[in-house]
Amino acid sequence: MNFFKKIIIILFITFNFSNVFSQNRSNSLNVISSNIAYYFEKPSGFGVSYERILDQYRSNNISQFSFKLSCYRILDIEKENQYTYRGVNISNDEAKKISGFSIEPSFKFYFGWGSPFGTYFSILGSYSNYEEVYTDIIDINNNYISKYSSLGRGILLGHQFVISKSISIELGLGYLVENIKLETTDYQNLTINSNRIDDGLKINSSIGFMF
């Protein structure tokens, strides 16, 4: 079965339990979580998200709006086979080193009266900045340093529920568009600048705790 079809099926199942989990939640205003999907992206990252109910003054049991801020450290190392000698591959375990950060603010609207749990629609933005250093152990002509910066915007539909009274699980699927600026410097210190627009699916599969 296609991976994204599995995500949609999981979302559909969890949506049907929205009322049950909302009724059993405690009066929590905050959620701290981490998006597991970032660990499997290229480049990969790790970090935390903080979500806060915005309209708690109305009632803890009928709030619908929240703000979420995600901060992630981008840190990745890629191995590459760079040379073959007499049938033996010679590899560089740190051929590509990537480091930087990503920030993602979002506003969420919950369809039920029980945020931060239940089915929601989210409008989000993103800013990423990271550096990629490539090293060829055989030919230095291939060496380069690339600096990426991107501004993104998108939408997401998801569901967040609580288990064991304090553990939160969030599943979401959306669409993200990014304006990317790229600056690449080769081994001769010659720099090339370019701009492009990328778009694609946005996956949220977070686990956290509420308080």
Side-chain angles (χ1 to χ4, degrees), residues 1 7 52 56 87 94 104 107 109 115 134-135 182 187:
M1 183 181 294
I7 295 293
R52 171 75 179 183
Q56 69 272 15
E94 298 182 349
E104 185 180 290
F107 289 94
F109 170 77
S115 71
Y134 180 80
T135 304
L182 174 61
Y187 82 105

Side-chain angles (χ1 to χ4, degrees), residues 31-48:
V31 179
I32 291 180
S33 61
S34 182
N35 188 356
I36 301 173
Y38 280 118
Y39 293 93
F40 302 98
E41 292 184 354
K42 286 294 182 183
S44 62
F46 61 92
V48 296

Side-chain angles (χ1 to χ4, degrees), residues 137-150:
I137 59 176
I138 303 300
D139 187 356
I140 64 171
N141 292 323
N142 296 324
N143 294 350
Y144 65 81
I145 298 175
S146 293
K147 296 180 180 179
Y148 295 79
S149 63
S150 67

Side-chain angles (χ1 to χ4, degrees), residues 115-165:
S115 71
F117 301 102
T119 304
Y120 67 84
F121 174 79
S122 176
I123 298 175
L124 57 91
S126 68
Y127 174 74
S128 298
N129 189 297
Y130 62 91
E131 182 179 84
E132 177 182 305
V133 180
Y134 180 80
T135 304
D136 190 325
I137 59 176
I138 303 300
D139 187 356
I140 64 171
N141 292 323
N142 296 324
N143 294 350
Y144 65 81
I145 298 175
S146 293
K147 296 180 180 179
Y148 295 79
S149 63
S150 67
L151 285 173
R153 62 276 186 195
I155 57 175
L156 188 141
L157 180 67
H159 185 91
Q160 184 164 244
F161 57 93
V162 59
I163 58 175
S164 301
K165 297 184 178 180

Side-chain angles (χ1 to χ4, degrees), residues 33-151:
S33 61
S34 182
N35 188 356
I36 301 173
Y38 280 118
Y39 293 93
F40 302 98
E41 292 184 354
K42 286 294 182 183
S44 62
F46 61 92
V48 296
S49 300
Y50 172 69
E51 182 177 353
R52 171 75 179 183
I53 293 176
L54 295 178
D55 53 345
Q56 69 272 15
Y57 59 88
R58 297 165 60 189
S59 171
N60 286 350
N61 292 320
I62 62 172
S63 52
Q64 285 186 290
F65 299 92
S66 72
F67 173 75
K68 184 176 181 179
L69 180 64
S70 303
C71 299
Y72 284 83
R73 177 81 162 95
I74 299 172
L75 190 63
D76 203 357
I77 296 177
E78 295 184 15
K79 178 180 178 179
E80 184 178 284
N81 292 325
Q82 296 181 337
Y83 185 64
T84 301
Y85 179 73
R86 294 183 178 179
V88 178
N89 290 326
I90 299 176
S91 63
N92 182 358
D93 291 339
E94 298 182 349
K96 190 179 294 185
K97 295 181 180 180
I98 304 172
S99 63
F101 66 91
S102 178
I103 299 174
E104 185 180 290
S106 62
F107 289 94
K108 301 168 75 174
F109 170 77
Y110 286 84
F111 295 104
W113 297 97
S115 71
F117 301 102
T119 304
Y120 67 84
F121 174 79
S122 176
I123 298 175
L124 57 91
S126 68
Y127 174 74
S128 298
N129 189 297
Y130 62 91
E131 182 179 84
E132 177 182 305
V133 180
Y134 180 80
T135 304
D136 190 325
I137 59 176
I138 303 300
D139 187 356
I140 64 171
N141 292 323
N142 296 324
N143 294 350
Y144 65 81
I145 298 175
S146 293
K147 296 180 180 179
Y148 295 79
S149 63
S150 67
L151 285 173

